[in-house]
Amino acid sequence: MGDVAHLPTAKTGAAIRKQAPVLVGNLLQLIRENKVGEEAYSGYSSCPLVTGYSKMVLAEFKYDNVRDSDPLISKFVDTSKEQYSMWLLKKYGLPLMYWNLMLRGKA
């Protein structure tokens, strides 16, 4: 996953968060049924782009630079618009999610 997967997409925590369930699902099927699973990673990644003090957009995309949006985040905010809430996500939310959830296998 991430850098070692050598996938043609951004090497971000968001990408790994979407790659992990695909990898686990396919490995579990291989272990249980001796057959490779058919789940596929869409190439999703996101990059927080700070556009000014207290302003940010979240560039979300998948393979071929097709715009994509995480269903959870997009319920609350339009990530394609420059916003203070996106900056708060980068400053507080993403580090919290990374250190307390992702690294512990909870997100």
Side-chain angles (χ1 to χ4, degrees):
M1 293 189 310
D3 290 345
V4 300
H6 195 63
L7 296 171
T9 187
K11 313 308 189 247
T12 66
I16 293 171
R17 190 170 60 90
K18 298 293 185 168
Q19 291 167 13
V22 172
L23 175 64
V24 169
N26 287 337
L27 285 176
L28 288 175
Q29 184 170 344
L30 181 63
I31 291 167
R32 290 182 188 135
E33 302 173 20
N34 203 26
K35 179 177 122 184
V36 176
E38 295 182 15
E39 292 186 46
Y41 167 61
S42 69
Y44 175 85
S45 191
S46 71
C47 299
L49 304 171
V50 176
T51 55
Y53 186 76
S54 300
K55 294 186 264 184
M56 189 189 97
V57 295
L58 189 62
E60 297 179 283
F61 48 90
K62 57 186 176 183
Y63 288 136
D64 298 326
N65 293 323
V66 173
R67 188 182 184 288
D68 196 13
S69 189
D70 184 279
L72 177 64
I73 296 172
S74 63
K75 283 183 183 180
F76 302 104
V77 66
D78 181 354
T79 61
S80 67
K81 297 213 179 350
E82 185 179 66
Q83 298 185 55
Y84 177 67
S85 63
M86 289 284 86
W87 183 80
L88 290 174
L89 174 70
K90 177 174 174 37
K91 182 158 176 72
Y92 300 106
L94 295 179
L96 179 82
M97 187 166 73
Y98 179 78
W99 291 108
N100 298 305
L101 300 174
M102 288 178 63
L103 290 182
R104 298 171 189 215
K106 298 179 180 180

